[in-house]
Amino acid sequence: MRGPAWPITVLLVGYPVWWALGFGGLSVIVLAVPMAMVLWRRRPIRVPRGFGLWLLLIAGYLVSGLMLAEMPPDTYGDFGPGRLIGYLMRLALYVAILIMVLYLGNLTERELPQLRLVRLLGVLFVTTVAGGLLGVFFPSFAFTSPMELLLPDWAAGNSFVQNLIHPTAAQTQKVLGFSLPRPEAPFEWANAWGSNVSVLLVWFVIGWWVYGTPRQKALVAATLALAAVPIVYSLNRGLWIGLGLALVYLVVRLGGRTRVALCGAAAVAALVFALSPLASLFAQRLDKPHSNDIRAFTVSATVAAAAHSPIIGYGNTRNAMGNHRTITTGRTQWCEGCGHPPLGSDGQLWLLIITQGFTGAALYVAFFVGAIRRHWSDRSPIGLAGVLVMGLVLLYMFVYDGLVTPLSLYLISFALLWRNHLGDVS
């Protein structure tokens, strides 16, 4: 907690406290202030290659604000405080993450060793597993946060804000045809939990297994066994696909005894899983593609709306007329299935398309593709893990909204890659 690295420690280790206070994913915005102060005292500030793309992304988002009051065809809604709040919160997050990456890259190895940063992410993984177990066994757990009490009703009642400031253990949904909780603590929604747990798992294994003692490795094995429970109960196919592709990536990129050991461990884990009660739930989820029609409708409506402002988008999401079942708009007493998820809610790529046009989406993709290309030759454990996470980002952008917490973890992973390169150069 001493020295200039304290803000990142408070962010990652103290995340459960931030969540309980009602800040959660917004904590990075608060801690960007002391991070910026550290940067100010260290001028000139070094920046990573490709970071100009992120600056252009932010500049484009500022320009897209000009379209907040506009409505594309086949959408509806009023221009009011809710739309403006969502826009400003996303803008603040984009800027805060920019500051965080520059802050991490300008700390020396002595001030913040790479392994310490990786292990801090591993601590957050343990927190995430604990939150997932809370969601499985105590799904109704929720409480009113201090932040929620302080905000006026018109702000706290906004659905987007409510997800951020109201701590809950799980989302209860009828994915399998009956009500079942999907873990989300300590994050804002179930899909954010799925994205975050996979990214954090990568760093947990690197920090506490690859660089761990025998005792630490035993704790890693036990924690991963516990993590399997909320991972399956999350009913999160994107997460499952991501973990499968991560295994394929490692088998391809690793060699010799490590590859053999990894394949053996994966085979044993698969056998144990197949014999466990979790296998039945896994099979039921695969047999019921509950969200496919909803996603198809929302994605097609998003692209159609964005085509009317393809360069700068509309600054924020909109609501589409009708849904995948009916042309009726909105949920009513006589049609409870007539709801409509906001456009862009099915993945960061679609969110960028509606908020910043196809230009913003292209900048986002170019940023992470560029990171993979520049760091592909880094075959150190951190290099391999960082490139893997960049690949997961490109996968998840089709199914997960990167805001709020996932985007912070994506960019911390990017900073680890950058710091690793700086260490090679020096």
Side-chain angles (χ1 to χ4, degrees), residues 186-354:
F187 305 115
E188 49 272 14
W189 35 72
N191 281 348
W193 189 92
S195 173
N196 293 345
V197 76
S198 62
V199 171
L200 292 169
L201 186 153
V202 172
W203 296 118
F204 178 64
V205 170
I206 295 297
W208 296 96
W209 178 277
V210 175
Y211 291 108
T213 63
R215 178 176 295 181
Q216 290 170 341
K217 291 181 179 181
L219 290 174
V220 168
T223 304
L224 293 180
L226 286 173
V229 176
I231 285 174
V232 173
Y233 270 87
S234 71
L235 304 178
N236 211 316
R237 291 173 299 169
L239 164 61
W240 300 344
I241 293 171
L243 293 178
L245 291 179
L247 179 61
V248 173
Y249 166 87
L250 292 174
V251 169
V252 170
R253 298 214 66 192
L254 296 175
R257 297 178 181 177
T258 306
R259 177 186 293 174
V260 174
L262 179 64
C263 292
V268 171
L271 178 61
V272 172
F273 176 78
L275 297 175
S276 75
L278 296 175
S280 174
L281 187 62
F282 179 82
Q284 289 181 64
R285 179 63 179 104
L286 295 181
D287 190 49
K288 293 183 181 293
H290 168 77
S291 59
N292 287 3
D293 291 340
I294 300 173
R295 285 184 178 274
F297 168 81
T298 308
V299 168
S300 62
T302 299
V303 174
H308 295 277
S309 180
I311 306 300
I312 63 173
Y314 287 94
N316 204 340
T317 60
R318 299 291 190 274
N319 289 317
M321 294 286 188
N323 64 17
H324 66 293
R325 293 175 179 166
T326 171
I327 60 172
T328 304
T329 60
R331 185 178 289 107
T332 65
Q333 291 182 348
W334 56 271
C335 186
E336 295 184 357
C338 296
H340 38 254
L343 300 183
S345 60
D346 290 313
Q348 184 66 14
L349 180 67
W350 318 117
L351 177 65
L352 287 164
I353 286 175
I354 188 65

Side-chain angles (χ1 to χ4, degrees), residues 162-188:
Q162 183 69 193
N163 279 327
L164 299 179
I165 65 174
H166 184 67
T168 54
Q171 285 181 285
T172 300
Q173 299 175 337
K174 294 183 178 180
V175 176
L176 301 181
F178 55 90
S179 296
L180 198 70
R182 299 180 63 204
E184 65 178 6
F187 305 115
E188 49 272 14

